[in-house]
Amino acid sequence: GLADHRTELRAALSADAYDDLRQRWRELGRDVIEGMREGSYERLELVPFEVTVGRVPDGRSTDGRATN
């Protein structure tokens, strides 16, 4: 929550911006609780990741045996 990052947020935001963020955060929490009570709450998480494919020319096959 915001309380865990209060020091960093206060350093990065003006007092008004922090208060606005806090107000919107609380409103979001109330909306979540209401959605949970109604059974309409859904949570979606996106986890970005990258896949890299390549070969390492070390003289070994993919099963670890020497190819030379």
Side-chain angles (χ1 to χ4, degrees):
L2 293 180
D4 295 338
H5 303 282
R6 182 179 177 161
T7 302
E8 297 93 341
L9 290 170
R10 288 262 188 205
L13 302 172
S14 69
D16 288 340
Y18 179 79
D19 289 342
D20 181 56
L21 176 62
R22 207 174 93 186
Q23 178 184 358
R24 289 185 290 134
W25 186 262
R26 287 183 174 186
E27 184 178 326
L28 175 68
R30 287 189 292 270
D31 290 345
V32 167
I33 291 169
E34 182 179 332
M36 290 172 76
R37 285 183 181 147
E38 295 172 350
S40 62
Y41 174 73
E42 291 184 16
R43 180 176 173 167
L44 173 67
E45 291 188 32
L46 302 175
V47 181
F49 65 93
E50 295 181 16
V51 176
T52 303
V53 178
R55 293 177 186 242
V56 178
D58 69 348
R60 296 201 174 268
S61 66
T62 57
D63 63 0
R65 292 181 293 155
T67 58
N68 303 19

